Amino acid sequence: MEARMEQIMHRMEMERERKKDEELKSILKKYPLRSTTLTGRDRYERRYYVFGSPDEKIAAAVFVYDPKLKEWGRYETQQQLDDLLKFLNPLGIREKDVLDQLKAH
């Protein structure tokens, strides 16, 4: 009985992961790729990627991957991007690079 319950829980987790992947893929289709490389990492080891149209002067969205939570998030409104820029520490070794890259976009 317990093994069966573990199988059911595993299948449910796999289905949630599949749905997250599909959602991310559909979101990413909205944004032509601007950066195929890692923009940088913050103090929590979250990885930042910039997506947008190559002819735009600003990013259409910044995606962040948290390896500890194994989750993706995104910043796409001007307010969210402004809050992110305020959050990043310009004196931090990793975060200064992310901050500089984001300001360049």
Side-chain angles (χ1 to χ4, degrees):
M1 180 74 168
E2 190 174 313
R4 177 76 177 135
M5 190 59 128
E6 286 180 22
Q7 287 177 337
I8 292 170
M9 295 298 286
H10 178 71
R11 285 186 187 142
M12 289 172 63
E13 180 63 28
M14 295 298 289
E15 181 63 17
R16 276 193 294 271
E17 289 297 317
R18 186 191 66 73
K19 285 181 180 179
K20 279 185 188 177
D21 287 346
E22 290 300 316
E23 179 183 343
L24 180 61
K25 286 177 187 176
S26 71
I27 291 168
L28 291 177
K29 285 180 184 178
K30 294 180 189 176
Y31 305 103
L33 196 57
R34 178 180 197 128
S35 173
T36 58
T37 60
L38 177 67
T39 301
R41 298 172 193 243
D42 68 13
R43 67 194 97 148
Y44 301 108
E45 292 296 322
R46 291 180 292 219
R47 299 171 188 146
Y48 292 84
Y49 301 85
V50 176
F51 292 86
S53 175
D55 58 345
E56 292 177 0
K57 300 232 189 266
I58 60 169
V62 175
F63 283 80
V64 58
Y65 177 71
D66 188 325
K68 291 178 184 169
L69 298 176
K70 295 184 171 52
E71 289 184 351
W72 283 92
R74 74 178 181 273
Y75 300 89
E76 66 181 336
T77 68
Q78 188 60 50
Q79 182 62 47
Q80 290 171 333
L81 293 170
D82 289 344
D83 290 345
L84 175 60
L85 293 174
K86 288 176 190 170
F87 167 77
L88 295 169
N89 183 353
L91 301 177
I93 294 170
R94 290 182 204 92
E95 293 183 22
K96 182 181 181 331
D97 290 340
V98 176
L99 193 56
D100 291 344
Q101 289 288 326
L102 293 176
K103 285 182 177 179
H105 291 291

